[in-house]
């Protein structure tokens, strides 16, 4: 009888362990942390060449993890970039273009699957703290798209009539628009935390997001979790707490970046303190390049060309650092190309999740991220759209060759940017014919080498035709067949 009881007890323990695994309680399932800043330039991290300020926590994260110097967002602007990160799709595939406005009638569609929804189905707890910007009406907000917790803003901080003492210095037409914006609320879940953001609130945002993130980690340390920290900074108008104000040679912009770096340190320390270091994949990057027209209140993309709002490298190539001890080799410095759309399927593969039934554009790039010998990007090419479905550039998946298609782009044309939060106007230049750039030998996109590579031009033109057939092209008036509708308000 004792032997029988022992056998039964053993089977009971095995069954209980099996149930825990099925219910998502396995500690082997990694926590996922994505830190996504707003308008931070390629050169605005120490390891990427920052000047006038320091980022010791990000530098430490890089030493313990890996730097990715050829990591891109799908579009060089707020809403579109975030849509790509969260769904694994080119944003124009799912009907998200540019930066969505106040009280927009469109937003992230119910039929799309976000990272949060995919991970919830695998037993994850999900939390988001920061800027959403995928629709500011209730049906489009984070808790309706897979997040258990949310604290932050529905929009960018510039959709706000309370700019600190700067609105009177804007050009009259810009000032008139901004004065007409409704109050910008801060949300806690679906409840309003502040009906009207104040200047003092603006200065506290980065600290509040860090505190909420740490609290979320501590509360959920016994469960697998997905933490998405989407900082409102360093998007203008800049806000920083007193503990960092006036600390850097770079001025307010440098102060803001140092506070973001501090917040990264708070998250890393919380993971270590709670014994989660070895089982957490932390990803740090930005949503697009720097807003160069703001000058000393904008960042730097050196040595890249242009910045936010363009499909030159300065608009889409972002500083990227990833850390997962034992899984991502420490001290690695990679120039392999991949994109935010690839994170969704890569994470899905790691946690054993099924991909959505509808088409997504990203592919599993874990061999590249984990630095496996001989790893190659599985894509044929990457497509870069902007404006209303304009196909503006195509890049080979190894990241070497980039074809810039005829289009108009914004530029400062070598002129200085604005000062103290007041922008200067861009001029607009036209690319008259397709231009080819060798990004390995010419990262600044200075010399068109199309005449020397006719075979490569034909290959890339075939990639362009594939993109136009699938997603269309507003520049050549091609409709495309692969679009899905965004979410739309019915009232």
């Amino acid at each position: 009888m004792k032997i029988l009881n022992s056998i039964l007890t053993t089977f009971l323990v095995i069954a209980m362990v099996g149930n825990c695994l099925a219910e998502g309680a396995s500690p082997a399932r990694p926590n996922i942390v994505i830190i996504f800043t707003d308008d931070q330039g390629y050169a605005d991290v120490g390891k990427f060449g920052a000047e006038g300020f320091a980022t010791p926590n990000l530098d430490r994260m890089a030493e313990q993890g890996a730097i990715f110097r050829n990591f891109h967002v799908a579009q060089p602007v707020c809403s579109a970039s975030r849509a790509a990160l969260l769904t694994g799709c080119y944003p124009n595939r799912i009907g998200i273009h540019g930066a969505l406005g106040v009280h927009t009638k469109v937003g992230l569609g119910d039929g799309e699957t976000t990272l949060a929804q995919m991970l919830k189905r695998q037993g994850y707890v999900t939390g988001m703290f920061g800027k959403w910007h995928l629709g500011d009406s209730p049906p489009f907000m984070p808790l309706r798209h897979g997040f258990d917790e949310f604290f932050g803003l529905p929009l960018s901080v510039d959709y706000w009539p309370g700019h600190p003492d700067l609105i009177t210095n804007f050009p009259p037409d810009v000032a008139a628009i901004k004065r007409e914006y409704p109050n910008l609320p801060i949300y806690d879940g679906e409840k309003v935390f502040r009906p009207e953001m104040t200047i003092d609130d603006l200065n506290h945002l980065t600290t509040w997001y860090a505190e909420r993130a740490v609290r979320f980690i501590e509360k959920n340390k016994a469960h697998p979790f997905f933490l998405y920290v989407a900082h409102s900074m360093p998007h203008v108008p800049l806000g920083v707490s007193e503990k960092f104000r006036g600390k850097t040679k770079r001025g307010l912009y440098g102060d803001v970046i140092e506070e973001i770096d501090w917040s990264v340190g708070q998250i890393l320390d919380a993971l270590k303190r709670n014994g989660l270091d070895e089982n957490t994949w932390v990803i740090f990057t930005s949503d697009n390049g720097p807003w160069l027209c703001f000058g000393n209140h904008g960042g730097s993309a050196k040595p890249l060309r242009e910045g936010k709002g363009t499909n030159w490298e300065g608009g889409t190539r972002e500083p990227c650092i990833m850390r997962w001890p034992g899984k991502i080799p420490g001290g690695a410095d990679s120039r392999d190309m991949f994109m935010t759309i690839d994170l969704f399927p890569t994470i899905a593969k790691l946690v054993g999740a099924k991909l959505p039934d509808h088409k997504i554009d990203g592919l599993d790039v874990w061999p590249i991220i984990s630095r496996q010998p001989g790893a190659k990007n599985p894509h044929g090419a990457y497509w870069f759209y902007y404006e209303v479905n304009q196909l503006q550039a195509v890049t080979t998946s190894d990241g070497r060759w980039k074809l810039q298609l005829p289009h108009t782009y914004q530029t400062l044309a070598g002129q200085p940017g604005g000062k103290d939060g007041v922008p200067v106007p861009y001029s607009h230049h036209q690319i008259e014919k397709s231009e080819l750039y060798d990004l390995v030998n010419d990262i600044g996109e200075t010399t068109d080498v199309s005449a020397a590579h006719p075979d490569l031009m034909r290959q890339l033109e075939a990639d362009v035709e594939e993109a136009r057939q699938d997603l269309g092209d507003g520049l050549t008036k091609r409709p495309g067949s692969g679009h899905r509708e965004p979410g739309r308000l019915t009232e």
Side-chain angles (χ1 to χ4, degrees), residues 57-306:
N57 293 295
L58 284 167
D59 294 348
R60 170 169 59 101
M61 182 177 162
E63 289 161 3
Q64 297 171 348
I67 294 170
F68 296 94
R69 297 188 184 272
N70 202 354
F71 179 79
H72 290 254
V73 293
Q75 281 197 29
V77 68
C78 303
S79 299
S81 177
R82 289 154 205 278
L85 170 73
L86 289 177
T87 67
C89 298
Y90 287 121
N92 44 317
R93 181 176 299 285
I94 61 175
I96 303 296
H97 304 278
L100 299 178
V102 176
H103 301 330
T104 176
K105 301 296 184 183
V106 301
L108 190 60
D110 287 340
E112 304 303 332
T113 300
T114 66
L115 264 171
Q117 288 166 321
M118 180 265 287
L119 288 168
K120 271 182 70 71
R121 292 167 188 163
Q122 296 301 111
Y124 279 67
V125 180
T126 59
M128 183 199 165
F129 309 105
K131 169 185 164 180
W132 176 240
H133 212 170
L134 288 171
D136 60 343
S137 296
F140 306 138
M141 292 286 278
L143 299 194
R144 309 292 181 96
H145 291 278
F147 287 99
D148 297 314
E149 293 186 31
F150 169 61
F151 176 86
L153 299 177
L155 298 156
S156 299
V157 288
D158 61 337
Y159 288 94
W160 177 45
H163 281 252
D165 303 321
L166 299 176
I167 194 167
T168 55
N169 296 325
F170 284 156
D173 57 335
V174 176
I177 293 172
K178 291 187 179 297
R179 288 193 188 101
E180 293 302 315
Y181 283 140
N183 293 333
L184 181 59
I186 304 173
Y187 282 89
D188 190 346
E190 293 192 339
K191 296 181 179 179
V192 173
F193 174 77
R194 291 276 200 278
E196 178 182 359
M197 188 176 75
T198 66
I199 293 173
D200 187 57
D201 293 335
L202 177 76
N203 291 328
H204 279 89
L205 289 178
T206 299
T207 292
W208 281 342
Y209 298 160
E211 291 172 347
R212 294 281 182 139
V214 168
R215 195 183 312 166
F216 178 84
I217 290 168
E218 292 174 341
K219 183 171 66 174
N220 297 293
K221 60 186 177 183
H223 308 278
F225 60 77
F226 170 44
L227 170 60
Y228 175 40
V229 182
H231 281 290
S232 296
M233 297 293 128
H235 195 296
V236 293
L238 299 175
V240 69
S241 68
E242 286 299 322
K243 60 183 176 291
F244 286 95
R245 186 176 294 273
K247 299 296 185 182
T248 70
K249 295 179 181 179
R250 179 64 165 77
L252 184 57
Y253 187 87
D255 300 345
V256 167
I257 299 296
E258 288 205 353
E259 185 165 27
I260 289 173
D261 178 77
W262 165 83
S263 77
V264 172
Q266 295 295 296
I267 290 170
L268 295 178
D269 291 348
L271 293 171
K272 186 175 183 64
R273 186 170 62 249
N274 288 282
L276 303 172
D277 237 10
E278 303 295 320
N279 196 40
T280 303
W281 179 12
V282 183
I283 301 165
F284 175 92
T285 191
S286 177
D287 70 336
N288 49 247
W291 211 347
L292 298 176
C293 65
F294 280 91
N296 68 338
H297 277 204
S300 170
K302 292 180 181 179
L304 310 178
R305 183 171 176 177
E306 303 299 345

